[in-house]
C-alpha cells in the first residue's frame, strides 16, 4: 500500500494534520527561497544563465545533506533526534532575514562558481538545510507514531507545495512584492515553520515515550528485506537522470531566451509535477503510454538540438522533459521500499539529484568545450530506457537508441563544424567561424547561437564596422552625427566587448573603454580580431567583471557615448535595463551624451522599458532599426538590428543621419517601471 490511508482505523485525520501542514510549509518555503535568492544575486554575476544552474547545485547538494542527516539521526531514536533538530531550528533563526549581503559582490576577476556556493551557504545555508530534512524526517516520525501508516503520499504533498511556490513566484509574488519584502516575508513564514516543526516533534516524542518504544517494536516486526545494492543504484540512476534532464534542458532554453526566474520556474515546475503524480497514486504513471512517448520524443529532441526555432523547441523540450521525468520518477515509485527503509530511499534519490546537478553545472563547463551536455544526456536517457524496459519494450528501446545517438552525435559535430575556435567558461561558449562570399571572408564571433560581432578579413577591410554595428545602425548613425556636431575628441564606453567592432568608429584622440565579464571573450577577441589594435583611438585595458558593477565602483567617466550590449546568447541581463541602471549610466555620460541600448531580440520587447525610464528621467528616446538586404552578395556581413538611443540632447536626434531612420517608441502606461527590486518578464514578452 502506498498512501496515508493505510493507517489503522484508530488513526484520526486530525492526528495527521500537524505532519501534513509542517511538510507542506517546509516544501513551500524550500522552493520559494530558490528564485528569491537567485534573483538577488543574479545581477552580481552578469545575469548569466549559469548562475541558476550553480544555484541548483547548492540546492540539490543541501537537499542531499538534509536527507543524509535524516537517515543518520534516525538511528539515534526519536527522542534524541527530535531534541537535536529543535536545537538546530532555534539556532537557524539568528541567520534571518534572508537578504544577500552586498559584501559578496564580485570585484571583477573572482572565480564565480565557488563564490556563489559560498554566498548561498552563508546567506541561506542553515535554514535551507533544515527545510531539506523535513520531508524524510517527519515521515519517519509519522511512521514511528502511527506504525501501520505508509507515508509516501506525504512526499507527493511536499512536491505539490513546492510547485505552488514556484508557480506563485512569477505570477503572484514577483509582480506584487519587491525583493526586500519577499526576503522579510519568507523569514516570517520560516519562523512559523520552526514553531510548527518543533511542536510536531515534541508531540511525536510524547507519543513514543507513552508507547514504550513501540516504534522500535514495530520496525522489528517488519519482515521486509533490505534493498539490494542494485536496487539502490537504480534509485540513484533514475533520480540522477531526472536531475540531468532538468538542468540540461533549462540550460538549452535559457541560453537563448532570458536568464530570469520565470524561465527557470517552468522546467522545474514540470519536474515537480512528475514527482507529485508518481508518488500520489500508481494510476498516474501509465507505463505503456509514457514508454511510447519517450521512445518517440528522445530521438526527436536529439534531432532538434541544432535548431534555433525556440518556439517549437520549447514545446518539444518541455514536453520531453515532462515525459522523461514521468518515466524516471514513475519507475522510482514502482521501486520504493518498505517504509522501514524510507530514509535510505530518499537519501539515494537526493544523491542522484545532487550528482545530476554537479555533472551539468560544474563538470560539463570544465570538461566540454561546447554545449554538448544535452546531446550526451539524451543518449544516456535512451540507454536507461533500455535497462528498465523488458521484452518487446527493450527491443523498441534499442531501436530508438540508434537515431537518438545518430542525431546527438551529428548535432555536436555540426555545432563544432567549421569553427576556428571554441572555448567555454562560466558565462557560456564562444566560437569563431570564417565565411567567404564572392572572394570576401568574414569572421564571426558566436556566443551561444547568436553572432556577437565579426570582422572582414584582408588589409583593405580590417577596420570596417559590421554585423549590428554597420553604418545604418544606431551606432553608425550616432557616430556620423557626432562627427559633424562635435568634432572634438570623444570618450566612449561599451559594456560588452564581443569582437570589439565599435572600436572601428574611433578617431585619433578618441578614448574607448570596454567592459567584459567573460575572460574567454577577451582571449578570443585578442587572438581572432584586430579592431582594438587597428583603431586610431586610444583603447584602454578591458575592465573585467560585470559592467554595471564596474561602473558603480568608478568615478564619473564623462562618456560622450555609453553602449549597453552585454547580452548572453539572445538573453537579456535584466539588471542592465532597470531604473537604477539608467541612473548609473547618466552619472557616467556628459550632459549631452547618449546611451545606446542593443534591443535586438526575438522574444523580449525592451523598447517600452527603456522608454519608461527616459520619460521618468526627462530624457528623449528613439529606436533606430536597420535592415540590410538579406541577399547573398555585397554587405552580407551586416545584420538586422534595433538599437535605442537615449539622450538629453534633442539636437543630436534631429541630425539628418539619425532623424531619417529613427522612430518614436510607443508608450505603455500600464507597464510599471522596472527596478532592481521589482521587474517582471511576463509584461514584455513579444
Amino acid at each position: 500500500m502506498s498512501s496515508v490511508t493505510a493507517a489503522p482505523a484508530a488513526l484520526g485525520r486530525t492526528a495527521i494534520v500537524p505532519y501534513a501542514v509542517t511538510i507542506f510549509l517546509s516544501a513551500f518555503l524550500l522552493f520559494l527561497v530558490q528564485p528569491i535568492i537567485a534573483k538577488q544575486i543574479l545581477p552580481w554575476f552578469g545575469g548569466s544563465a549559469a548562475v541558476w544552474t550553480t544555484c541548483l547545485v547548492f540546492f540539490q547538494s543541501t537537499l542531499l545533506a538534509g536527507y543524509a542527516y535524516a537517515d543518520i539521526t534516525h538511528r539515534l531514536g526519536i527522542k534524541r533526534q527530535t531534541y537535536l533538530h529543535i536545537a538546530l531550528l532555534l539556532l537557524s533563526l539568528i541567520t534571518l532575514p534572508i537578504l544577500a549581503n552586498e559584501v559578496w559582490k564580485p570585484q571583477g576577476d573572482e572565480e564565480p562558481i565557488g563564490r556563489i556556493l559560498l554566498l548561498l551557504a552563508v546567506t541561506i545555508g542553515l535554514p535551507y538545510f533544515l527545510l531539506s530534512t523535513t520531508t524524510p524526517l517527519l515521515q519517519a516520525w509519522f511512521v514511528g507514531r502511527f506504525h501501520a501508516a505508509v507515508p509516501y503520499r506525504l512526499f507527493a504533498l511536499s512536491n505539490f507545495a513546492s510547485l505552488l511556490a514556484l508557480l506563485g513566484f512569477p505570477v503572484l509574488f514577483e509582480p506584487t512584492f519587491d525583493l526586500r519584502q519577499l526576503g522579510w516575508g519568507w523569514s516570517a513564514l520560516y519562523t512559523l515553520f520552526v514553531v510548527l516543526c518543533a511542536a510536531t516533534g515534541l508531540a511525536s516524542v510524547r507519543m513514543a515515550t507513552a508507547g514504550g518504544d513501540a516504534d522500535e517494536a514495530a520496525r522489528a516486526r517488519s519482515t521486509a528485506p533490505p534493498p539490494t545494492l542494485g536496487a539502490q543504484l537504480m534509485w540513484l540512476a533514475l533520480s540522477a537522470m531526472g536531475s540531468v534532464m532538468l538542468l540540461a534542458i533549462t540550460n538549452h532554453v535559457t541560453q537563448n531566451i532570458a536568464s530570469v526566474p520565470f524561465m527557470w520556474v517552468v522546467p522545474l515546475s514540470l519536474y515537480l509535477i512528475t514527482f507529485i503524480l508518481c508518488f500520489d497514486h500508481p494510476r498516474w504513471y501509465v507505463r505503456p503510454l509514457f514508454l511510447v512517448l519517450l521512445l518517440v520524443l528522445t530521438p526527436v529532441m536529439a534531432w532538434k538540438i541544432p535548431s534555433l526555432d525556440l518556439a517549437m523547441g520549447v514545446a518539444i523540450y518541455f514536453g520531453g522533459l515532462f515525459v522523461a521525468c514521468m518515466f524516471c520518477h514513475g519507475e522510482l515509485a514502482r521501486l520504493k521500499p518498505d517504509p522501514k527503509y524510507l530514509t535510505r530511499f530518499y537519501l539515494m534519490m537526493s544523491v542522484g539529484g545532487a550528482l545530476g546537478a554537479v555533472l551539468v553545472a560544474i563538470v560539463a563547463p570544465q570538461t566540454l568545450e561546447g554545449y554538448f551536455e544535452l546531446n550526451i544526456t539524451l543518449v544516456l536517457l535512451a540507454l536507461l530506457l533500455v535497462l528498465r524496459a523488458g521484452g518487446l519494450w527493450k527491443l523498441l528501446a534499442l531501436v530508438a537508441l540508434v537515431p537518438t545517438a545518430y542525431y546527438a552525435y551529428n548535432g555536436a559535430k555540426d555545432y563544432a563544424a567549421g569553427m576556428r575556435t571554441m572555448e567555454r567558461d562560466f558565462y557560456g561558449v564562444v566560437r569563431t567561424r570564417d565565411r567567404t562570399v564572392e572572394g570576401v571572408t568574414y569572421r564571426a564571433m558566436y556566443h551561444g547561437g547568436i553572432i556577437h560581432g565579426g570582422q572582414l578579413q584582408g588589409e583593405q577591410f580590417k577596420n570596417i564596422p559590421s554585423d549590428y554595428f554597420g553604418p545604418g545602425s544606431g551606432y553608425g548613425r550616432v557616430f556620423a552625427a557626432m562627427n559633424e556636431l562635435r568634432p572634438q575628441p570623444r570618450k566612449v564606453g561599451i559594456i560588452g566587448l564581443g569582437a570589439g567592432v565599435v572600436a572601428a568608429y574611433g578617431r585619433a584622440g578618441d578614448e574607448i573603454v570596454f567592459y567584459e565579464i567573460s575572460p574567454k571573450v577577451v582571449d578570443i577577441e585578442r587572438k581572432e580580431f584586430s579592431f582594438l589594435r587597428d583603431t586610431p583611438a586610444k583603447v584602454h585595458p578591458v575592465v573585467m567583471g560585470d559592467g554595471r558593477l564596474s561602473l558603480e565602483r568608478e568615478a564619473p567617466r564623462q562618456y560622450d557615448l555609453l553602449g549597453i550590449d552585454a547580452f548572453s546568447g539572445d538573453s537579456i541581463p535584466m539588471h542592465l535595463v532597470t531604473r537604477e541602471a539608467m541612473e548609473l549610466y547618466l552619472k557616467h555620460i556628459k550632459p549631452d551624451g547618449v546611451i545606446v541600448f542593443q534591443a535586438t531580440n526575438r522574444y523580449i520587447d525592451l523598447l517600452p522599458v527603456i522608454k519608461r525610464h527616459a520619460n521618468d528621467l526627462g530624457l528623449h528616446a528613439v529606436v533606430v532599426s536597420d535592415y540590410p538586404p538579406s541577399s547573398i552578395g555585397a554587405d552580407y556581413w551586416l545584420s538586422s538590428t534595433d538599437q535605442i538611443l537615449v539622450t538629453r540632447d534633442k539636437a543630436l536626434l534631429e541630425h539628418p543621419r539619425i532623424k531619417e531612420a529613427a522612430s518614436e517608441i510607443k508608450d505603455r502606461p500600464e507597464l510599471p517601471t522596472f527596478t532592481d527590486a521589482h521587474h517582471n518578464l511576463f509584461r514584455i514578452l513579444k
Side-chain angles (χ1 to χ4, degrees):
M1 303 183 75
S2 59
S3 76
V4 294
T5 57
L11 173 60
R13 291 183 179 274
T14 56
I16 305 173
V17 169
Y19 298 90
V21 170
T22 306
I23 286 175
F24 184 94
L25 182 57
S26 72
F28 183 85
L29 292 171
L30 191 72
F31 278 79
L32 181 60
V33 75
Q34 295 183 15
I36 291 176
I37 195 67
K39 192 172 180 181
Q40 287 183 34
I41 69 173
L42 185 66
W44 300 357
F45 298 91
S48 168
V51 174
W52 176 244
T53 54
T54 304
C55 288
L56 281 179
V57 171
F58 174 83
F59 300 144
Q60 293 279 30
S61 299
T62 307
L63 189 70
L64 167 60
Y67 281 21
Y69 164 89
D71 185 55
I72 294 169
T73 59
H74 190 56
R75 303 164 196 170
L76 298 176
I78 191 169
K79 182 181 293 187
R80 284 181 291 178
Q81 182 189 47
T82 302
Y83 291 156
L84 169 64
H85 198 67
I86 291 174
L88 291 174
L89 286 169
L90 295 175
L91 179 64
S92 71
L93 294 175
I94 68 173
T95 67
L96 302 180
I98 52 148
L99 298 172
N101 194 314
E102 295 201 357
V103 72
W104 290 99
K105 281 186 177 181
Q107 296 302 305
D109 56 355
E110 298 91 340
E111 190 281 314
I113 293 177
R115 193 173 186 87
I116 291 171
L117 294 176
L118 187 58
L119 182 162
L120 293 173
V122 171
T123 305
I124 62 169
L126 187 54
Y128 195 89
F129 167 76
L130 292 170
L131 289 169
S132 299
T133 69
T134 305
T135 294
L137 195 63
L138 265 72
Q139 288 188 46
W141 291 352
F142 186 92
V143 172
R145 182 173 178 180
F146 309 114
H147 312 297
V150 181
Y152 283 110
R153 214 170 210 176
L154 290 176
F155 184 59
L157 176 67
S158 72
N159 283 286
F160 176 66
S162 303
L163 179 65
L164 286 181
L166 283 174
L167 296 181
F169 183 81
V171 174
L172 176 62
F173 302 119
E174 189 181 31
T176 307
F177 305 104
D178 63 34
L179 285 175
R180 188 169 184 83
Q181 292 169 332
L182 286 171
W184 277 101
W186 187 94
S187 301
L189 286 176
Y190 178 79
T191 303
L192 174 62
F193 158 76
V194 168
V195 173
L196 287 175
C197 190
T200 303
L202 291 173
S204 299
V205 169
R206 285 195 299 271
M207 289 293 294
T209 303
D213 207 14
D215 179 20
E216 291 299 325
R219 278 187 292 187
R221 288 195 298 268
S222 174
T223 58
T228 64
L229 176 61
Q232 294 186 59
L233 290 177
M234 184 53 69
W235 297 342
L236 186 149
L238 289 165
S239 177
M241 181 52 63
S243 177
V244 169
M245 282 291 294
L246 167 64
L247 271 76
I249 286 178
T250 301
N251 262 354
H252 188 68
V253 173
T254 57
Q255 285 296 329
N256 289 305
I257 298 183
S259 304
V260 294
F262 163 65
M263 292 308 302
W264 307 334
V265 162
V266 174
L268 188 53
S269 298
L270 293 172
Y271 176 82
L272 287 173
I273 287 171
T274 63
F275 267 123
I276 295 169
L277 296 175
C278 294
F279 282 86
D280 173 70
H281 195 282
R283 66 174 171 264
W284 301 117
Y285 178 52
V286 183
R287 196 170 192 253
L289 171 63
F290 286 102
L291 289 178
V292 168
L293 290 174
L294 198 58
L295 288 170
V296 173
L297 281 172
T298 303
V300 170
M301 285 189 286
W303 171 52
K304 292 296 293 183
I305 285 176
S307 172
L308 287 179
D309 182 2
L310 289 179
M312 180 182 293
V314 165
I316 290 173
Y317 286 113
F318 284 176
L321 174 65
F322 177 78
V323 171
C325 288
M326 279 298 294
F327 164 72
C328 293
H329 302 152
E331 295 297 306
L332 273 172
R334 283 163 53 91
L335 295 172
K336 62 183 181 288
D338 183 90
K340 178 179 179 180
Y341 306 106
L342 70 87
T343 56
R344 176 56 53 89
F345 178 61
Y346 289 138
L347 175 61
M348 295 306 292
M349 285 176 57
S350 62
V351 170
L355 178 62
V358 169
L359 287 174
V360 175
I362 297 179
V363 176
Q366 300 296 325
T367 59
L368 302 176
E369 60 181 5
Y371 288 123
F372 301 135
E373 47 264 48
L374 183 56
N375 309 62
I376 297 170
T377 297
L378 292 173
V379 174
L380 293 176
L381 175 63
L383 286 171
L384 185 60
L385 181 56
V386 171
L387 287 177
R388 286 299 300 162
L392 178 60
W393 289 114
K394 185 177 289 291
L395 177 61
L396 294 174
L398 285 168
V399 171
L401 174 61
V402 175
T404 300
Y406 173 80
Y407 288 128
Y409 173 76
N410 279 338
K413 188 172 69 173
D414 292 344
Y415 184 84
M419 294 297 167
R420 290 175 49 85
T421 59
M422 182 163 60
E423 299 186 24
R424 183 174 183 175
D425 62 13
F426 178 80
Y427 303 100
V429 176
V430 187
R431 302 173 291 163
T432 62
R433 181 169 63 185
D434 287 352
R435 179 187 176 199
T436 302
V437 174
E438 297 183 356
V440 179
T441 299
Y442 177 70
R443 180 171 300 162
M445 174 187 282
Y446 294 82
H447 198 283
I450 306 299
I451 293 179
H452 277 228
Q455 185 173 26
L456 290 164
Q457 301 301 294
E459 190 66 25
Q460 71 273 35
F461 301 123
K462 64 180 182 180
N463 214 32
I464 294 178
S466 56
D467 267 320
Y468 309 108
F469 309 97
S473 69
Y475 281 100
R477 293 177 183 277
V478 166
F479 281 118
M482 283 183 169
N483 288 344
E484 295 183 17
L485 298 175
R486 309 171 193 170
Q488 68 272 19
R490 59 197 172 213
K491 296 180 68 176
V492 175
I494 304 293
I495 296 180
L497 173 61
V501 185
V502 176
Y505 288 105
R507 306 167 305 175
D510 291 351
E511 297 182 48
I512 304 177
V513 179
F514 285 96
Y515 300 83
E516 177 56 51
I517 196 171
S518 169
K520 292 298 183 185
V521 169
V522 176
D523 292 344
I524 288 181
E525 187 282 325
R526 289 171 178 165
K527 290 187 293 186
E528 295 285 279
F529 304 95
S530 64
F531 286 116
L532 272 61
R533 297 191 299 273
D534 295 335
T535 179
K538 176 184 178 181
V539 179
H540 292 266
V542 175
V543 179
M544 296 303 302
D546 178 80
R548 178 175 163 180
L549 295 185
S550 297
L551 288 175
E552 288 177 358
R553 294 190 292 266
E554 294 177 345
R557 285 279 199 164
Q558 293 296 296
Y559 288 126
D560 293 277
L561 182 148
L562 179 61
I564 316 300
D565 194 29
F567 301 147
S568 174
D570 209 20
S571 66
I572 305 291
M574 296 304 294
H575 69 292
L576 296 181
V577 295
T578 62
R579 168 68 176 267
E580 293 86 349
M582 182 69 86
E583 292 172 343
L584 176 66
Y585 303 150
L586 290 176
K587 167 188 165 185
H588 284 280
I589 64 171
K590 293 178 180 178
D592 60 354
V594 59
I595 307 168
V596 182
F597 288 89
Q598 178 62 265
T600 310
N601 195 279
R602 292 170 292 174
Y603 308 103
I604 309 299
D605 184 10
L606 278 183
L607 273 63
V609 176
I610 304 302
K611 176 68 170 177
R612 169 58 60 85
H613 296 329
N615 290 345
D616 291 347
L617 296 170
L619 305 169
H620 307 290
V622 298
V623 59
V624 174
S625 298
D626 183 29
Y627 300 106
S630 58
S631 60
I632 293 178
D635 299 342
Y636 78 91
W637 51 85
L638 297 176
S639 300
S640 298
T641 183
D642 297 309
Q643 291 163 356
I644 306 171
L645 312 183
V646 181
T647 183
R648 299 185 183 94
D649 186 5
K650 184 70 171 177
L652 178 67
L653 301 182
E654 291 294 327
H655 188 278
R657 283 292 292 152
I658 297 177
K659 189 173 183 179
E660 66 185 7
S663 302
E664 291 294 326
I665 301 172
K666 184 178 179 180
D667 282 318
R668 283 182 51 187
E670 81 286 357
L671 185 71
T673 299
F674 276 42
T675 67
D676 288 346
H678 198 192
H679 56 264
N680 188 272
L681 182 69
F682 268 130
R683 295 179 177 269
I684 56 171
L685 289 174
K686 289 184 178 178

